[in-house]
Amino acid sequence: MKKSFPGLALILLSGLPAFSQLKVVNLRCENLTDPQSIDVASPDLSWELNSPKKNTLQSAYEIRVKGSSIAAWNSGKILSAQSVHVPYKGADLASGEKYSWQVRVWDNQGSSSPWSEAATLQMGLLHLSDWKAQWIEPGYQEDSVMRPSPMFRKTFNTGKKIASATAFITSHGLYEGFINGKKIGNSFLTPGWTSYNKRLQYQEYDVTNLIAPGSNAIGVALGSGWYRGYLAWQEHHNIYGKTLALLFQLQIKYTDGTSEIISSGNSWKCTTSAIRYSEIYHGETYDARMELPGWSSPKFDDSKWDSVEVKNYDNSILTATQNEPVTRHERFVPVKIITTPKGETVLDFGQNMVGFVQVKASGKAGDSIVLYHAEVLDKKGNFYTENLRFAKQRNIFILSGRGTETFEPHFSFQGFRYVKIEGITGDPKPENFTAYALYSDMRPTGSFSSNDPLINQLQHNIQWGQKGNFLDVPTDCPQRDERLGWTGDAQAFSRTATYNFAANNFFDKWLKDLAADQFSDGSVPHVIPDALGPGNGGSAGWSDAATIIPWNMYLAYGDKRVLETQYESMKKWIGFMQSRSSGNLWNKGSHFGDWLFYRPDDDNDGRSAITDKYMIAQCFYAHSVQLMINTSTVLGKKEDAGMYTALLKEIKEAYRKEYLTPNGRLVSSSQTAYVLALNFDMLPEELRKAAADRLVANIEDYNNHLTTGFLGTPYLCPVLTRFGHNDVAYTLLMQKTYPSWLYPVTMGATTIWERWDGQKPDSTFQTPAMNSFNHYAYGAIGDWLYRSVAGLDTYADQPGYKHSMIKPHPGNALNEVNAVYKTNYGTLSAHWKKDSANFYLDVEIPCNTTATVFIPAASSDTVKEISETKNKSSLLKFSAAEDGYIKAELGSGKYRFNAALK
Ligand code: BGC
């Protein structure tokens, strides 16, 4: 029996339930949830809307921000659709102060939300004069060979009730801090890696819960890390300085309104720790016999400790931490314990990763346990470390003999899947070995899956390549004696990176180091932070990180500030290329070229896919200038836009004159040559189709294999799709023999390899001189998977997915694809399936955004929007078919389409 509820109908009509259904969630300040150290005057605020209704757009918002006692800002109701990157406009935010903030919104459907839950933001130290701490260094003579880690210590008393306690810490070298025996924060490898002599990040921690009433103690240990450890192959160390130093400031506020600062200075004591040796490449030696139990507790007797030396370093280079700290993530136990043919005992963790192994062991004082780390086993199944070159990746733990002891390295990390162990008595037990992955704690934002397990493994490998190489800076590889922020690798992978994780703060921070380290002539160092020095820069496709990455960040996140901040650096890089060109032809200098392109051992018939390096340089010159035009246009710099537009025309003319025949053949006939020419619009319109056909012919000539290196690979499939050869792009994607993306997958790879044939089909290896099994560059195919295969893209004039383009490109090889991407507005997704007769597409469009959805179909009559036809609330309008798609302009919500394929 049906009942009617007149009262309910009334409520429905009055719109009241809608009031409670529109919600504001996921508040972020400077792209972070409850950030700890903000040092911009006008932090940027973002939030997401949640509504069960379709087509929801924000029409107004109100923000309120509160300090500990007073309101800092009440924006009032602002009529605006902006819900991301809204600048704070209240009273000046005070140094070190913590604020809470909330948002409520109104939408285009007459609903309003309640106030969101409160989020917090904590300000950093905004003025140089806020720093009361002094830099301290060990007062003892250091053992200059082993350079054991120093420890610093200080006791203090709190007489009154504490309202809050905040610690500000940084160091020369890496630090690990404790208060009363408890670790401060949960980060590793702090203060991270920046161009230390120009920009040094400090971290800020809320330590209220660590402080006890009465007596307290602070303890901090330091390690050589990137500051003075070996870096950039075996020969360099002490790149930033020789001596480790600490800067520590604790600000305590009492409930009676008074406050106190405890800071590093000459009253601190120091000695050496049980960490006898520590190097990023070589690992750590920890001698538990030398532990000083309770060293960071108040009662500890430090009378035998040394005094410290106070130093006067320049604090104007201090900057608050902008990016996510490195934290501990996945945990692994060995999947197998192997005895190799050589008799080695090896743990297999099943995943190539970056981090460390924690060991539990017991034994006699002085017994040592040694852990060696490797990525692969060789053809015979033995432990293989030759590709680590000079890096030892060895941790030595010396037992104290005091029962069961737990060890892990403090100031080192290893790249490994396999761990060889020595010194364990009896059979090793898997539960005594736990591997932890370490990486920058970026918000995971993307997933991509399909009906093909090999493709899913490829995506897994791309994500693990990113995890392993996003360790505070984007590195080429995480295991050998390199681990540097190679600019070429970073630019090639940057767009893919934005799909998998929120990479904006990570790259914004690194780009500031790029600008800081840029040479005075505008050339950009090969690696950032620059560990190689003058003369190591200016390579095409590497230095273009200066223009490519800011633009990619802008597209993905819609924040103009990265363009503003990097603008001068971008201009300087263009200036460098101009200065090295004659008649706008950039044909000077040394270049890495299409690094690691296909180069068969037997090249008798000239099959090596060589691309002229200066031709590549000219393409990237044009590309960077195009991005400069885009950037100056976005920033309203009309004069610059005009100047760069004229320059681009000349660059392309110079290219055509030098490298293109009248019939459209290029000087190098490689895949990379055609890919770059097509991707960067180097060719006149009328020659493009023929060039794309030549590219396809070339691929067929290599028996449907790619031959591209670092520079051509990212654009290969996008170019094929763009020029109507999506089927060929799929053929390359699905190719299982070398060179291809799936070849390493068929060989059991769990990360992306540096080389297409790092391990050959007969299980022998490529040259150990350069053969990393965790190098993300070729993972740049991830961009095409998300953007073309699944079809999740943004329009450049409404970047950051304010207006999305959802345009799947199905191919014969896959029947089902599902990609979910958490944009700044919320979840954007596309899930498609197909059978012989139908194409099914489910999409989700976040609130406060719109999307143009392209559905593969021959005509609009064959497409149905299933959910809409059910509730008949609004009928969608489809465009007429064009290029095999019909289009629908949609607002937020979930939609399901069904299109007849024939
Ligand atoms: C790195 C690369 C880098 C290259 C430059 C290598 O040693 O591992 O990934 O881009 O050098 O040529």
Side-chain angles (χ1 to χ4, degrees):
M1 195 180 75
K2 264 194 177 170
K3 278 189 182 172
S4 66
F5 296 97
L8 183 66
L10 216 68
I11 294 172
L12 279 170
L13 284 173
S14 74
L16 271 180
F19 173 88
S20 57
Q21 287 186 335
L22 177 68
K23 278 201 191 102
V24 181
V25 294
N26 295 336
L27 275 62
R28 285 187 286 271
C29 170
E30 291 291 318
N31 307 309
L32 301 169
T33 305
D34 301 333
Q36 292 282 4
S37 58
I38 298 295
D39 72 355
V40 287
S42 197
D44 135 333
L45 306 173
S46 303
W47 56 87
E48 295 172 20
L49 272 60
N50 248 352
S51 166
K53 289 195 185 167
K54 283 188 166 155
N55 302 318
T56 297
L57 291 171
Q58 176 184 296
S59 57
Y61 67 80
E62 183 174 359
I63 300 175
R64 62 182 184 201
V65 182
K66 241 177 56 201
S68 52
S69 46
I70 40 156
W73 188 31
N74 196 327
S75 70
K77 183 173 175 180
I78 309 267
L79 298 180
S80 164
Q82 196 179 351
S83 60
V84 304
H85 310 305
V86 176
Y88 168 85
K89 287 199 181 126
D92 285 353
L93 296 168
S95 199
E97 188 73 30
K98 190 169 188 169
Y99 295 85
S100 75
W101 62 289
Q102 289 171 291
V103 184
R104 61 175 170 176
V105 300
W106 289 260
D107 72 13
N108 56 339
Q109 323 231 2
S111 304
S112 60
S113 77
W115 283 104
S116 68
E117 280 183 22
T120 62
L121 73 97
Q122 171 120 30
M123 298 305 286
L125 294 181
L126 302 177
H127 318 288
L128 202 50
S129 58
D130 295 331
W131 284 100
K132 306 295 178 208
Q134 292 175 303
W135 281 95
I136 53 173
E137 290 178 353
Y140 56 80
Q141 188 65 38
E142 186 177 56
D143 163 355
S144 60
V145 179
M146 295 299 281
R147 307 208 282 185
S149 276
M151 306 199 285
F152 296 89
R153 172 185 156 79
K154 162 83 184 163
T155 52
F156 63 96
N157 280 302
T158 53
K160 296 184 270 184
K161 199 158 183 262
I162 290 170
S164 71
T166 311
F168 302 85
I169 316 175
T170 191
S171 53
H172 291 166
L174 303 174
Y175 74 83
E176 194 175 22
F178 300 85
I179 291 178
N180 299 327
K182 296 214 175 77
K183 182 169 153 112
I184 301 174
N186 59 357
S187 316
F188 289 77
L189 307 169
T190 45
W193 189 11
T194 48
S195 178
Y196 289 136
N197 295 337
K198 297 165 194 152
R199 291 177 6 92
L200 177 59
Q201 295 201 141
Y202 64 86
Q203 283 77 42
E204 180 171 352
Y205 304 91
D206 181 346
V207 293
T208 314
N209 294 333
L210 300 185
I211 311 279
S215 40
N216 286 273
I218 301 164
V220 183
L222 303 182
S224 299
W226 296 287
Y227 185 81
R228 68 166 194 183
Y230 282 93
L231 207 54
W233 311 286
Q234 64 268 45
E235 62 266 32
H236 300 101
H237 67 308
N238 296 338
I239 289 188
Y240 299 97
K242 276 193 188 140
T243 312
L244 301 180
L246 171 69
L247 187 69
F248 189 108
Q249 182 160 322
L250 175 64
Q251 300 193 175
I252 302 179
K253 285 190 184 158
Y254 295 104
T255 48
D256 66 2
T258 59
S259 61
E260 189 177 2
I261 292 182
I262 317 287
S263 56
S264 48
N266 57 15
S267 62
W268 287 49
K269 302 292 270 308
C270 72
T271 192
T272 56
S273 81
I275 302 168
R276 304 312 295 164
Y277 174 86
S278 125
E279 283 286 342
I280 284 178
Y281 292 160
H282 302 316
E284 207 156 288
T285 301
Y286 186 91
D287 189 342
R289 294 171 303 179
M290 303 190 75
E291 270 174 358
L292 298 171
W295 69 278
S296 64
S297 306
K299 294 229 169 71
F300 183 83
D301 175 12
D302 60 16
S303 56
K304 297 214 175 64
W305 285 36
D306 291 295
S307 54
V308 298
E309 240 180 79
V310 170
K311 292 282 168 163
N312 193 8
Y313 291 120
D314 176 13
N315 281 349
S316 69
I317 62 165
L318 295 178
T319 177
T321 300
Q322 180 178 12
N323 58 324
E324 298 81 353
V326 171
T327 54
R328 205 150 88 166
H329 294 266
E330 292 85 350
R331 179 178 177 275
F332 295 85
V333 289
V335 290
K336 262 191 277 174
I337 299 186
I338 305 165
T339 304
T340 68
K342 278 191 184 163
E344 306 149 315
T345 305
V346 173
L347 313 172
D348 175 3
F349 286 95
Q351 172 64 49
N352 196 14
M353 72 183 101
V354 177
F356 57 75
V357 174
Q358 190 187 69
V359 187
K360 281 202 182 69
S362 53
K364 291 199 305 293
D367 284 354
S368 55
I369 294 167
V370 187
L371 268 58
Y372 301 86
H373 302 75
E375 295 183 290
V376 285
L377 300 180
D378 71 11
K379 188 177 164 71
K380 294 193 179 129
N382 290 316
F383 196 68
Y384 181 81
T385 54
E386 270 177 72
N387 67 326
L388 306 176
R389 304 193 306 215
F390 181 64
K392 290 200 179 69
Q393 290 219 111
R394 180 185 64 191
N395 293 331
I396 304 175
F397 302 122
I398 304 171
L399 304 188
S400 71
R402 292 190 290 263
T404 302
E405 304 175 57
T406 305
F407 297 101
E408 64 185 42
H410 301 256
F411 301 122
S412 185
F413 60 89
Q414 287 82 44
F416 65 99
R417 169 176 167 170
Y418 299 96
V419 173
K420 180 172 87 173
I421 48 174
E422 285 174 1
I424 300 281
T425 32
D427 284 340
K429 295 200 177 65
E431 62 271 23
N432 287 339
F433 302 91
T434 311
Y436 290 98
L438 287 182
Y439 49 91
S440 286
D441 194 21
M442 302 160 297
R443 190 164 50 96
T445 49
S447 67
F448 177 96
S449 60
S450 74
N451 63 301
D452 188 307
L454 294 180
I455 298 298
N456 298 346
Q457 183 68 37
L458 173 66
Q459 166 67 9
H460 169 100
N461 296 0
I462 296 170
Q463 287 194 324
W464 274 92
Q466 181 163 359
K467 289 173 182 180
N469 286 297
F470 275 52
L471 195 95
D472 211 57
V473 302
T475 57
D476 57 334
C477 60
Q479 73 300 75
R480 68 181 178 220
D481 56 345
E482 193 151 5
R483 314 184 190 191
L484 301 172
W486 281 97
T487 47
D489 311 40
Q491 70 79 5
F493 188 70
S494 57
R495 188 70 199 271
T496 302
T498 65
Y499 281 107
N500 292 322
F501 289 93
N504 36 347
N505 287 22
F506 179 87
F507 275 118
D508 284 3
K509 169 245 185 195
W510 183 76
L511 286 168
K512 287 181 182 160
D513 288 306
L514 184 149
D517 278 346
Q518 198 162 0
F519 299 119
S520 55
D521 60 3
S523 172
V524 176
H526 295 326
V527 300
I528 301 293
D530 178 23
L532 304 177
N536 291 293
S539 173
W542 268 252
S543 295
D544 298 282
T547 48
I548 294 174
I549 300 182
W551 185 252
N552 277 345
M553 294 307 116
Y554 173 68
L555 283 182
Y557 302 112
D559 186 358
K560 267 187 205 170
R561 291 180 308 170
V562 65
L563 302 180
E564 285 159 0
T565 311
Q566 296 305 123
Y567 197 70
E568 280 313 305
S569 155
M570 296 166 84
K571 269 186 103 159
K572 271 169 69 184
W573 168 237
I574 306 283
F576 173 84
M577 292 186 279
Q578 270 181 296
S579 73
R580 295 296 186 277
S581 306
S582 19
N584 285 309
L585 191 68
W586 184 24
N587 56 2
K588 287 189 199 71
S590 68
H591 298 275
F592 295 119
D594 191 26
W595 193 247
L596 299 182
F597 59 88
Y598 176 65
R599 205 182 310 207
D601 293 339
D602 171 10
D603 195 22
N604 287 341
D605 58 356
R607 299 192 66 75
S608 185
I610 298 171
T611 314
D612 184 283
K613 286 185 181 175
Y614 291 133
M615 184 165 81
I616 294 177
Q618 193 72 1
C619 289
F620 276 91
Y621 184 15
H623 184 45
S624 275
V625 172
Q626 178 64 63
L627 297 181
M628 221 40 229
I629 297 169
N630 300 354
T631 301
S632 42
T633 308
V634 167
L635 298 181
K637 296 176 189 290
K638 285 204 185 107
E639 228 174 86
D640 281 2
M643 173 182 88
Y644 288 119
T645 305
L647 174 63
L648 181 61
K649 199 165 162 265
E650 288 168 19
I651 292 170
K652 288 189 181 174
E653 273 162 17
Y655 171 91
R656 292 168 192 171
K657 215 163 116 198
E658 186 78 6
Y659 302 116
L660 176 71
T661 69
N663 286 334
R665 284 163 62 93
L666 295 174
V667 155
S668 305
S669 58
S670 66
Q671 292 174 19
T672 291
Y674 285 101
V675 164
L676 297 183
L678 287 166
N679 197 63
F680 301 149
D681 299 331
M682 302 303 285
L683 308 178
E685 195 70 56
E686 66 279 7
L687 293 180
R688 293 182 189 174
K689 190 190 165 305
D693 292 344
R694 282 200 178 91
L695 170 62
V696 171
N698 182 302
I699 292 167
E700 284 166 359
D701 202 28
Y702 283 93
N703 206 7
N704 293 321
H705 287 87
L706 56 78
T707 63
T708 49
F710 277 25
L711 297 185
T713 301
Y715 310 115
L716 176 57
C717 286
V719 159
L720 288 165
T721 300
R722 174 177 158 196
F723 288 94
H725 299 289
N726 196 48
D727 51 336
V728 182
Y730 268 88
T731 304
L732 291 179
L733 174 71
M734 304 310 291
Q735 178 59 261
K736 292 186 192 60
T737 53
Y738 161 76
S740 68
W741 285 283
L742 289 188
Y743 166 68
V745 174
T746 65
M747 293 295 287
T750 58
T751 35
I752 298 292
W753 295 353
E754 175 173 27
R755 316 179 76 117
W756 294 120
D757 61 344
Q759 188 166 23
K760 311 224 169 157
D762 67 0
S763 288
T764 57
F765 294 122
Q766 257 284 2
T767 168
M770 224 182 62
N771 197 19
S772 144
F773 291 93
N774 198 354
H775 235 74
Y776 53 53
Y778 287 144
I781 182 70
D783 171 39
W784 181 73
L785 294 176
Y786 280 106
R787 199 138 63 96
S788 292
V789 173
L792 300 178
D793 202 355
T794 185
Y795 282 90
D797 60 351
Q798 294 200 57
Y801 303 85
K802 176 70 178 148
H803 182 67
S804 298
M805 175 196 286
I806 304 185
K807 188 174 188 181
H809 289 84
N812 281 341
L814 297 176
N815 301 326
E816 184 173 0
V817 162
N818 189 8
V820 181
Y821 178 46
K822 299 216 182 307
T823 71
N824 274 339
Y825 296 92
T827 301
L828 177 75
S829 71
H831 180 183
W832 59 256
K833 273 192 212 178
K834 65 183 174 57
D835 53 36
S836 52
N838 288 292
F839 185 81
Y840 308 91
L841 176 64
D842 281 4
V843 300
E844 180 171 359
I845 301 160
C847 284
N848 205 25
T849 73
T850 50
T852 306
V853 180
F854 291 74
I855 305 142
S859 96
S860 55
D861 312 337
T862 65
V863 179
K864 271 196 259 158
E865 205 285 301
I866 299 166
S867 46
E868 285 293 333
T869 33
K870 243 193 246 159
N871 69 24
K872 295 209 170 17
S873 58
S874 69
L875 283 171
L876 287 176
K877 290 204 182 62
F878 296 112
S879 69
E882 205 181 303
D883 287 341
Y885 287 94
I886 66 105
K887 271 196 299 192
E889 298 296 338
L890 297 180
S892 66
K894 292 183 180 168
Y895 303 82
R896 166 164 291 186
F897 301 98
N898 180 352
L901 283 172
K902 284 168 200 153

